[in-house]
Each structure stands twice: as C-alpha cells, then as structure tokens.
Amino acid sequence: FAQYCQETRAQNSFSSFISKRMQLIKVEDQMKRSTFEIPLHQSDCHPFALARQGQTVHGGVIATIMEDTTTMHICANDPRARKAMTTDMNFSFIGVGKVGRTLSIDSKILKIGGVLGVAEANVKDVSTGKLIAVGRHTMMFIGEDNSSMEFAHSLNSVFDV
C-alpha cells in the first residue's frame, strides 16, 4: 500500500503539491483502514484569510486531502488493479484546519465490488482531536485488469516522488 501511494502521487499533477506532503501512518484490518497525516502550511490558506483571523485552511484543500486519501485507498484495495473514476463524493465540514497544525485522515473501505468501490474518511486535528470534516467517496472501476499503474510505471526518474 505504501508503494502504491508513492507511485500514484507522481501521476496526479493537480493535487501533487498537497499529496506529496501526506504521510502514511498506518494500515490496519487487512488494508481496510488507513491513516495519513499532513502538516498544514500557509499556502493552504484561503486567499482572503488575514493573519489576524487565525489563518484557516481553504475547504478545497481539506476536500482534496480527503479525495486523495480515499482514491488511493479504494484503488489499492481493488484486487484487479484497475483504473477508477469518481461517481459520487460528499463532504461535511464541521470545524476548521489552521496553519501550523497537522491533520489526521482516517479512511475506511466500506465496499470493494466488481464495479464500485466506496470509502469514508474522517479528518481530525492531531493536537486537539477535534473532528474537522467527514466525507464519503464512491468510485467506478474502469479499464483493463492491472491498468491502474501503467502511467506511473512509464514515468522516468525526473519526477520527485
């Protein structure tokens, strides 16, 4: 799972700035549960946030963290190693992330089937334990067996993964 996470980060250019900072902390229950952590930086702030307002992190960053975590988790659990695409994703934001803090993302596989994979994620502030956001992500498996890593394996070593 750790190798899969490292390889998939190279192919995702949109969120590579965020996902490269994510660290896989643990995998449990036969890869059905995983935990990642990510430190929050000034660059994660809403563009209109002022320092005196506490420098809260943009909701899109938290959504991207949850999406990246559950995507890697769902795809790594597909025994046929197929590509996948999002069919449904929802988030509820309960708190705020703040610059200088670290977030913990707990992902749980709800279903891996022949066509769909479903995972949920909880995002918490590591220092306070407060819940920041919850979400659920459904993906449809597409492509041939063993197609999920074709692109990653074709990359040369100029990419910093």
Side-chain angles (χ1 to χ4, degrees), residues 52-154:
R52 68 177 183 271
Q53 295 174 324
Q55 297 178 326
T56 59
V57 173
H58 193 287
V61 171
I62 295 172
T64 299
I65 291 166
M66 290 173 45
E67 190 271 339
D68 283 357
T69 301
T70 53
T71 294
M72 288 187 286
H73 201 183
I74 289 169
C75 291
N77 272 275
D78 178 23
R80 294 172 52 191
R82 295 166 289 174
K83 294 178 184 176
M85 59 177 274
T86 297
T87 59
D88 185 50
M89 193 168 17
N90 63 71
F91 308 107
S92 293
F93 297 95
I94 300 161
V96 296
K98 294 194 176 184
V99 172
R101 303 255 177 107
T102 298
L103 297 183
S104 172
I105 308 94
D106 295 316
S107 177
K108 177 183 174 186
I109 295 293
L110 301 177
K111 174 189 169 130
I112 297 293
V115 177
L116 297 175
V118 183
E120 65 182 9
N122 292 328
V123 179
K124 294 181 182 178
D125 183 312
V126 170
S127 64
T128 66
K130 289 184 179 179
L131 189 62
I132 304 294
V134 296
R136 183 171 286 184
H137 189 182
T138 303
M139 300 189 82
M140 179 174 58
F141 298 113
I142 58 174
E144 302 295 322
D145 290 2
N146 301 311
S147 63
S148 68
M149 297 309 297
E150 287 174 5
F151 182 76
H153 290 303
S154 71

